[in-house]
Amino acid sequence: MKKYIIPVLALLAVGCTKDFKDFNTNPYGATDEQLSRIPQGGNELVALQKLVVPQQENSYQMCFDLPATPYAGYASQPKFQADYPVYNPRTGWTDYVFDDTYTKHLYPAFFALKSYSKGDMSKYYFAWGTVLRVAITHWLTDSYGPLPYSKMEAGKTKTPYDKQSDLYKYMAEDLKTAINTLKAVDASDRQYADFDLVYKGDMTKWVKYANSLLLRMAIRMSDVDETNAKAYAQFAINNGVITENTDNAMLETKDNSAFKVAVSWGDSRAGADIVAYMNAFSDPRREAYFTEVTGLAQKYIGLRRGAPAVAIDPAKFSAPKITKESPMVWITAAEVAFIKAEMALKGWSFVGDTAENLYKKGIELSFAQHNVAIGNYLNNTNTRGAYSDPRQSAYNNPTFSSAITVKWDNSASNEVKLSKIITQKWIAMYPYNSHEAWAEWRRTGYPNLMAPVENRSNGVITSVNQVNGKDTGGMRRLPFSSKETTNNPTNRNAAVGYLGGADNGATDLWWVKK
């Protein structure tokens, strides 16, 4: 993995903005003239936006591509098959996700905002920063489980962890408060436009994003805390979620970290699972999702994970079809439609439509997002069968099959309908939302994914297996940072107790335990 040292112009060395493009001039601080143009917390807000889906390449690789994409079925790493893919990640790598994001970057920026505002959520830059804090914490808690949150204080290292069931409620309540503040911001107030990498200072769109994030959290907790989940979902829908692609949350960048990791470095390739599903469905979105391979009739080939003994040439497998300037997607109208489809399936009438209509709407929105004609896709009845790799027979899986299809069937069971909703949501969220895809796969058991070629967990983690059509086993979480054993042992040990199982990759998180 390549390392870069980039001088950063920021009040607390936590971010850079488009006002500070010339890194060769005054590389260690802003000039007085530049400082005079920074609205309160501008740099810190930029820094937090760059952590929702990490914009810095090492952070993206260590926090998203390596730990989440293999377990989501989105990608596999040619050079690192002996680590995460075979359930045997290095301790330093599993530590990094917490240590680098949580300790080094998230909380210095957030506590600066809290200091400027004196913790007053009516200051809309702090409300906005709180939305970003929740967005980042959400994928972190779904990686580890319990985390420090409600008792976090600036400069305090020995912080108690919250149970994940409590943490979700703390985050949801913070979102509700922040949403109410952001709703009151005058639509003409665009003072943060130069510091807003997503919506150009338009707080009406940040309200939709925050509500959509709350909806995402509500569906995650819906199987274990339906009462609160329904209340949060209804609040989000009443206050306005993303329904059109024009409001999709996408961070603009000229230095896309996923492009750097996958294309420039060749460290990641499209996963065999998602490519195989889309090949089976003859999915027209393939041309927008993957690069084509050469020399074979099959245009799109994904790399199966967990084959350390096989020499891998990345050029023989499809990469994600993105460029250096592609926006990095956080959440879309398609995902929101699929979330509402599952809620309708649960009988939550306040979503205002049927599961079938919302399911079809999600697919249509995804096709429109990628500017691809949908054709007859909604009537597709193909299924995915045994896996055969035209490059390497070592990757073959002759026993794999999945009954999941595209076409909606009103006579099918709710479980079959759920498998369709989650599988199409999974396809629509590729490639950036690997943490969300991994979490939803653990929660629902869909889509059906292949086990790694090898399992090197020494018996700790059971390989992926289908039980009554749903996936079980596989990597369920990351172990807590080993540094917490030394620096925060009492609270870390209490957090292990909250898990209800060992601090390893085999223990399910709270929202899985129905």
Side-chain angles (χ1 to χ4, degrees):
M1 289 172 289
K2 301 165 181 62
K3 300 289 182 183
Y4 297 89
I5 300 174
I6 303 175
V8 179
L9 288 167
L11 296 177
L12 294 174
V14 292
C16 59
T17 78
K18 76 177 191 179
D19 285 327
F20 308 141
K21 292 178 180 177
D22 187 358
F23 290 113
N24 296 316
T25 302
N26 190 19
Y28 301 108
T31 65
D32 289 343
E33 190 273 332
Q34 287 169 331
L35 288 170
S36 70
R37 292 188 285 115
I38 300 174
Q40 193 77 71
N43 279 341
E44 288 77 16
L45 289 162
V46 167
L48 291 174
Q49 289 171 75
K50 290 184 176 184
L51 291 173
V52 175
V53 175
Q55 192 271 332
Q56 201 278 336
E57 58 270 18
N58 300 119
S59 180
Y60 179 82
Q61 183 170 45
M62 294 297 292
C63 297
F64 270 59
D65 191 69
L66 287 171
T69 63
Y71 305 140
Y74 277 0
S76 192
Q77 293 70 35
K79 302 174 188 175
F80 308 111
Q81 288 284 299
D83 296 282
Y84 279 107
V86 294
Y87 309 142
N88 188 35
R90 306 174 205 186
T91 298
W93 286 11
T94 56
D95 288 355
Y96 187 104
V97 181
F98 177 89
D99 297 342
D100 189 76
T101 303
Y102 215 62
T103 306
K104 290 184 181 179
H105 297 298
L106 168 56
Y107 275 101
F110 178 76
F111 282 131
L113 294 172
K114 189 172 184 179
S115 176
Y116 302 152
S117 65
K118 302 187 186 312
D120 182 359
M121 195 81 87
S122 69
K123 305 291 187 185
Y124 87 77
Y125 64 86
F126 184 53
W128 178 15
T130 297
V131 171
L132 295 168
R133 178 201 189 194
V134 171
I136 299 159
T137 303
H138 187 223
W139 62 259
L140 281 161
T141 183
D142 287 351
S143 299
Y144 293 102
L147 284 180
Y149 186 87
S150 66
K151 297 179 176 62
M152 288 289 289
E153 297 177 16
K156 184 177 179 181
T157 57
K158 297 187 184 328
T159 308
Y161 286 56
D162 292 310
K163 295 178 182 178
Q164 195 178 36
S165 56
D166 293 334
L167 177 52
Y168 258 69
K169 285 182 275 191
Y170 290 137
M171 292 192 297
E173 292 300 326
D174 278 350
L175 280 179
K176 288 172 62 179
T177 303
I179 288 164
N180 287 330
T181 294
L182 296 178
K183 282 175 60 181
V185 178
D186 192 293
S188 65
D189 184 347
R190 300 294 177 94
Q191 63 178 297
Y192 285 93
D194 287 348
F195 298 82
D196 184 347
L197 308 181
V198 180
Y199 291 129
K200 304 292 190 217
D202 186 344
M203 291 299 133
T204 64
K205 293 195 175 186
W206 278 104
V207 168
K208 293 180 182 180
Y209 168 73
N211 281 312
S212 301
L213 177 60
L214 183 58
L215 199 74
R216 178 190 270 180
M217 290 170 52
I219 199 62
R220 185 87 86 257
M221 62 193 294
S222 62
D223 296 326
V224 291
D225 186 359
E226 185 177 46
T227 299
N228 279 309
K230 287 177 73 173
Y232 295 140
Q234 189 156 17
F235 176 94
I237 289 172
N238 289 347
N239 282 278
V241 295
I242 295 170
T243 58
E244 303 294 337
N245 283 323
T246 52
D247 292 331
N248 289 348
M250 302 185 292
L251 183 137
E252 294 186 1
T253 179
K254 296 186 182 300
D255 192 22
N256 184 299
S257 54
F259 171 84
K260 190 167 287 185
V261 170
V263 182
S264 296
W265 299 352
D267 282 358
S268 185
R269 280 296 176 264
D273 280 296
I274 189 161
V275 175
Y277 269 106
M278 296 181 76
N279 281 340
F281 297 158
S282 300
D283 195 313
R285 288 170 291 182
R286 287 174 296 176
E287 66 183 33
Y289 276 32
F290 313 119
T291 60
E292 294 186 11
V293 300
T294 57
L296 293 173
Q298 187 171 319
K299 291 183 179 181
Y300 309 102
I301 302 176
L303 177 61
R304 190 177 171 193
R305 61 189 168 100
V310 180
I312 298 170
D313 178 2
K316 292 184 176 181
F317 298 90
S318 296
K321 195 171 182 180
I322 51 180
T323 70
K324 189 176 181 180
E325 297 187 354
S326 294
M328 301 182 70
V329 181
W330 294 0
I331 195 167
T332 65
E335 181 188 342
V336 170
F338 289 123
I339 294 171
K340 290 196 290 186
E342 183 180 351
M343 290 176 173
L345 196 66
K346 290 177 178 291
W348 298 6
S349 59
F350 56 80
V351 299
D353 207 340
T354 66
E356 178 182 7
N357 288 343
L358 289 163
Y359 169 75
K360 292 178 178 178
K361 181 67 172 177
I363 295 174
E364 290 165 352
L365 283 164
S366 177
F367 273 81
Q369 176 189 339
H370 295 285
N371 197 28
V372 175
I374 195 168
N376 199 40
Y377 185 77
L378 290 172
N379 291 317
N380 193 298
T381 58
N382 296 345
T383 58
R384 184 182 155 193
Y387 184 72
S388 179
D389 189 300
R391 301 284 197 191
Q392 292 273 10
S393 61
Y395 299 143
N396 292 349
N397 188 341
T399 62
F400 180 87
S401 66
S402 174
I404 300 169
T405 62
V406 176
K407 186 175 181 179
W408 189 264
D409 179 1
N410 276 317
S411 66
S413 68
N414 276 4
E415 194 64 35
V416 168
K417 292 173 182 176
L418 177 64
S419 73
K420 296 176 186 289
I421 291 168
I422 299 300
T423 299
Q424 286 300 320
K425 181 167 74 167
W426 173 74
I427 293 173
M429 292 191 299
Y430 178 85
Y432 298 101
N433 284 283
S434 54
H435 272 283
E436 186 65 17
W438 177 31
E440 286 293 81
W441 173 79
R442 286 174 283 165
R443 180 179 72 88
T444 67
Y446 303 117
N448 303 132
L449 304 179
M450 289 185 289
V453 178
E454 294 184 32
N455 181 336
R456 295 190 178 183
S457 69
N458 295 317
V460 173
I461 299 168
T462 304
S463 289
V464 177
N465 184 44
Q466 281 187 47
V467 177
N468 297 323
K470 298 165 69 80
D471 281 359
T472 63
M475 192 77 163
R476 314 305 289 183
R477 61 178 291 275
L478 304 183
F480 293 126
S481 170
S482 62
K483 291 182 181 177
E484 288 286 274
T485 304
T486 302
N487 300 335
N488 193 18
T490 300
N491 294 314
R492 179 263 177 197
N493 291 340
V496 174
Y498 299 154
L499 285 172
D503 181 22
N504 60 33
T507 299
D508 269 322
L509 298 184
W510 159 72
W511 35 256
V512 179
K513 298 176 180 179
K514 300 178 183 178

